[in-house]
Every structure is written in C-alpha cells, then in structure tokens.
Amino acid sequence: YADFVKEKYKNYYTNRAKGLAEAYKLLAGPFGITRTKFGALVNETNKVERVPTVTDGMVSWFFSVVDDDKSGAISASEFYDVCDILQYSFKRIRTQSYFERTRPDLIHHSFYRYLKQKVEHGTLDKIVIGALVINSILVLIESWFDLNNTDTATSDAIWGFVEFLFSCFYFIALCIELLVMSFDEYWMLQVHKFDFFVTVGLFLAAIYWVLPCTMISESLMHYLIVLRLLRLVVLIANIQRFQILGQCISTIIPASIGVVGILFASASLFAAFGSQFFGGLIYDDAPALQDTDYVDENYDILNFNDFALSFMPLFAMVISGGPYTEFIEAIDHVSKFQGAGIIFFIAWYIVGCLIMSNIFSAFVIDAFLSKYEDNKILDKDTEIDSLDQSYAGEGFRIVAKRGATTDDVYKAMFAEDLKKQESE
C-alpha cells in the first residue's frame, strides 16, 4: 500500500513540475513573470473552487511571498513554489486593541503598562493555568460528593459560590487580555475561540445563579460541571507536547480517509453477507441457543439481524484482535451449514484483522512519526516570514495562514523519495 501511495504522489509531483514548467514558458518575459502577469494568473486561479480566493488588494502581498529574492519578478525556481503558496489565505489584522485605538491618552499609564507586560510575558496565562488546576481539583471533589449523594443545601450553596468566584476570575482574565491585545490577533487561535465561548458561557451562568428568584435545576448544574471540565482543554493546549500531538492528529485524520474507506468497505461487504446468511437466526430466546455460552455471557447484542447491527461483531473482532468462540459456536448452532461460523469469521479475521486493520495501524503510526519529526511542516511556514509588511499600513499586519493538508502527510512520509523526484 505504501509503495502504491508513494508512486501515486511521485507521479503527481512529476506532472505538476512539468505543468509548471510549461506555464512558466507561457507567462515569463525576459526577466521572469512580472507583477501584471502574476495578477492575471491569480484571476484565473480564483475560478478554481479548491484554491483560496485572492482579492485584488491581496495580489501584491501574494506576489511578495513568491518573490523570495525581491527582484520584482518571479524566476523559474520561485514559480515552482506557486502550487504550495496558492494554499495560503491572507488576512489583514489590527495590531492595536480597541482600548489603545479609542483611548490613546491612557495607554501610557503605569497600570496599563503593567497589565500589558503581564499578558505579553505570559504571567497572566500562568495564573489562569494555576486557577484551572485548582478549579479542576475542586470540581472532582464536588463530583465525588454528588455521586455519593452526600450533598446538602448548604454544601450546594458553598460549591455554587466557589464556582461563581472562579467564573468571575476567568471573565476578568479574558477582559484583561482583550484590553491589551487586538481582538483580531486573539481570535486567530482556535484555542482562544474555545476559551472565549466557555468563559462567557460560565460567566453568564454564574450571573444567572446569583440573581434573586432564580433556580438552576440539578441536571443543568451537571451540564455546567461538564462545561467547567472542558476548560481543561485550554490547560492541555498550553503544553507544547500536546500541541504537537493535536496538530499531528488533526492532520492525519483527513489524510487517512482512503485507508479508513478500505476498512469500511471490507466491513460493509462482510456485514452484508452476514445479514443475508445469518439475519434473524440469532436472538436471546432462540431455542437453538439455550444453555449456550453465547446466551450465558450476554453476547446477544452481537448479531446479524440487520445491516447496521452486523458491524458490531465485526468491529468487536478487530478491537479484540481475534474471533469470539462463543459467537462462532452460536452461528454453528443456528446455521444449516456446519462450520459456517468458522469459515465466515476466519475469513473476516484474515481480511479485517490481519490485513485491513494492520494497514490502517501501520499508516497511522508511520504518518504520525513522520509528522512528529518533521516539525517544519507543522510549525509556521518560512514563506510567512518573508511577507512584506509594508503593504499592511500603520496599525495593521498581514498574516498568511496555511492549514495542513493531506499532501503534507505524504510529503513527510515519503520526503526522501519526493526530494529526489523534485531534483530530477
């Protein structure tokens, strides 16, 4: 499978290089591709749905990314990177907070400079992380009391007041961040978006709790506890090791669609066969299954009575790594053909467990290790650093974001072969 995918991508990059070479011959003048011709090229690529749209105002920024040597024209070697650069999306964001724009007379105040220093140096983040750890411990203690039904009206009021204080603290920390930081810059990170909605939701719930003549139901309180625990995601997101792990997983999942599709297709085929051959024969009160291990061990949920349920015994075998003897014997008891259960499940064991699941596992392990070692794909791209900020204007900066794609995974897996292919 790896050889097949490797050959596929080698052919893909070979054809891409040939296509770019022909395109460069058509567009290039004596000194390369000019800004005008590049703009005409971008107008054509904007018609392609899979390519991010580049507006007329962003063409100059786009051109500065491709023009690495800043010669004012794109050479052949620079034009080769166009397919990668086309995956970027550009955005012009503010660098000043709303408070700095509306009250410039107060930004030099000693207290404001103190808050900004704490935010920029990460002191506020460390304080919030400490509060998250303490809050998580208290939530676990509160949950333990709740599960053991030892709560009283007084204890509920105390726990509610404690959570009210934590919710107010998180909201104040959020306000301090937005006071000294541009909202555009804050909103760029997904973890900040998650933190924003969780913090605001908890604060609104806390305000509702302290209002007179209001009552929060016990079931709603359980949901709020879960919401508080979700703040642990923010805590984990601040750990670099987990950041890399999350980036690897988010990149590998879309890239593994092909492998998962093979596993699902093979399981669907066996599920269809199982529902046709053994559908309606296996159930709890079946006379042929009385006093069998299948019934005694409560395996009756594993059956082929419809197409959807037929996936249950198949994936149970994949997870456990082998066939269930109780289920095989049950199939033999109800089937007209002796040995049908053995033949069916041994066939699935070979196809599903030994071949398909191992292909999937090998792909995920290989892709993860490749992505983990190749941090330059996951980290900020070098082309972003070469972006000319003179186009942004005062109080703004240009950011170029490029999401990790399926190609990135295979580039990392077959880096040496593709590098050799590119040089050829």
Side-chain angles (χ1 to χ4, degrees):
Y1 178 79
D3 291 338
F4 168 77
V5 176
K6 184 190 301 183
E7 189 64 28
K8 173 185 174 182
Y9 274 83
K10 286 173 67 176
N11 293 334
Y12 168 76
Y13 284 107
T14 300
N15 294 331
R16 191 177 80 168
K18 292 178 180 178
L20 288 172
E22 293 298 325
Y24 184 80
K25 291 178 182 178
L26 294 174
L27 295 172
F31 304 103
I33 299 177
T34 62
R35 164 68 177 78
T36 303
K37 289 188 176 181
F38 184 79
L41 173 63
V42 170
N43 289 334
E44 294 300 320
T45 59
N46 284 340
K47 300 176 182 178
V48 182
E49 293 182 358
R50 296 183 61 182
V51 177
T53 301
V54 181
T55 62
D56 294 338
M58 295 181 180
V59 173
S60 297
W61 309 336
F62 200 107
F63 186 82
S64 68
V65 175
V66 182
D67 186 16
D68 292 330
D69 58 4
K70 307 304 177 186
S71 62
I74 299 176
S75 63
S77 59
E78 293 170 342
F79 188 71
Y80 185 78
D81 296 329
V82 165
C83 287
D84 290 329
I85 306 299
L86 280 173
Q87 299 179 50
Y88 283 84
S89 59
F90 296 88
K91 188 176 182 181
R92 183 169 174 260
I93 65 172
R94 293 184 181 274
T95 57
Q96 296 178 326
S97 66
Y98 178 80
F99 183 78
E100 291 175 343
R101 298 195 309 270
T102 56
R103 296 299 303 272
D105 55 316
L106 296 180
I107 62 176
H108 299 293
H109 194 276
S110 59
F111 182 67
Y112 180 81
R113 291 202 303 268
Y114 173 79
L115 291 178
K116 188 168 185 177
Q117 181 184 15
K118 295 303 180 183
V119 173
E120 292 178 346
H121 292 178
T123 306
L124 182 62
D125 288 337
K126 294 178 182 178
I127 296 174
V128 172
I129 289 174
L132 276 171
V133 174
I134 297 174
N135 191 13
S136 301
I137 295 173
L138 293 177
V139 167
L140 292 177
I141 296 174
E142 181 185 0
S143 301
W144 185 83
F145 280 113
D146 183 44
L147 292 173
N148 287 276
N149 296 320
T150 57
D151 285 337
T152 62
T154 303
S155 64
D156 287 340
I158 294 174
W159 285 119
F161 181 71
V162 170
E163 293 301 337
F164 170 77
L165 294 179
F166 274 107
S167 299
C168 292
F169 170 77
Y170 295 141
F171 186 76
I172 292 172
L174 174 65
C175 292
I176 292 175
E177 279 193 278
L178 295 178
L179 183 69
V180 302
M181 181 187 297
S182 166
F183 185 79
D184 290 344
E185 292 186 324
Y186 177 86
W187 205 248
M188 283 178 58
L189 298 179
Q190 296 297 328
V191 65
H192 283 173
K193 296 178 181 178
F194 177 83
D195 187 33
F196 178 86
F197 287 114
V198 172
T199 300
V200 173
L202 286 176
F203 180 73
L204 294 177
I207 295 299
Y208 181 77
W209 180 79
V210 299
L211 290 176
C213 302
T214 58
M215 183 67 181
I216 298 180
S217 64
E218 185 177 354
S219 59
L220 181 58
M221 287 298 298
H222 291 163
Y223 288 122
L224 292 178
I225 291 175
V226 174
L227 186 62
R228 287 195 289 270
L229 289 175
L230 286 177
R231 287 195 62 88
L232 285 174
V233 177
V234 181
L235 175 62
I236 295 175
N238 285 279
I239 303 175
Q240 184 179 6
R241 186 178 296 272
F242 284 101
Q243 287 179 353
I244 297 175
L245 180 64
Q247 291 172 335
C248 289
I249 293 175
S250 63
T251 308
I252 290 172
I253 288 177
S256 61
I257 291 178
V259 183
V260 174
I262 295 175
L263 179 60
F264 179 76
S266 58
S268 299
L269 182 63
F270 275 83
F273 279 125
S275 60
Q276 291 296 320
F277 293 147
F278 313 121
L281 300 179
I282 301 177
Y283 52 94
D284 189 17
D285 297 329
L289 297 179
Q290 299 306 310
D291 299 326
T292 61
D293 292 337
Y294 174 83
V295 175
D296 295 339
E297 298 296 333
N298 298 316
Y299 278 111
D300 52 286
I301 188 62
L302 301 177
N303 58 70
F304 292 101
N305 292 337
D306 58 51
F307 181 72
L309 279 175
S310 299
F311 284 93
M312 294 289 290
L314 301 179
F315 280 110
M317 282 184 57
V318 172
I319 294 171
S320 63
Y324 290 92
T325 55
E326 295 86 355
F327 197 53
I328 293 177
E329 292 174 355
I331 292 291
D332 286 336
H333 277 89
V334 299
S335 177
K336 298 179 180 179
F337 305 99
Q338 289 298 317
I342 297 176
I343 296 174
F344 181 85
F345 283 106
I346 292 301
W348 169 246
Y349 177 72
I350 295 173
V351 175
C353 300
L354 297 183
I355 299 178
M356 297 304 174
S357 64
N358 280 318
I359 288 177
F360 174 74
S361 301
F363 170 83
V364 171
I365 293 172
D366 194 11
F368 176 78
L369 292 177
S370 300
K371 289 290 293 177
Y372 190 85
E373 295 171 359
D374 195 3
N375 287 332
K376 62 184 179 181
I377 292 179
L378 293 173
D379 294 337
K380 188 169 63 173
D381 296 272
T382 56
E383 280 80 0
I384 297 178
D385 297 328
S386 65
L387 193 62
D388 190 353
Q389 294 294 337
S390 62
Y391 295 96
E394 185 177 358
F396 293 87
R397 70 184 181 95
I398 302 168
V399 293
K401 297 186 66 176
R402 174 179 179 271
T405 64
T406 302
D407 292 346
D408 289 338
V409 176
Y410 293 110
K411 280 183 181 179
M413 293 175 64
F414 312 128
E416 295 182 0
D417 295 312
L418 294 176
K419 187 176 181 180
K420 185 186 298 184
Q421 191 74 16
E422 288 179 0
S423 62
E424 293 175 356

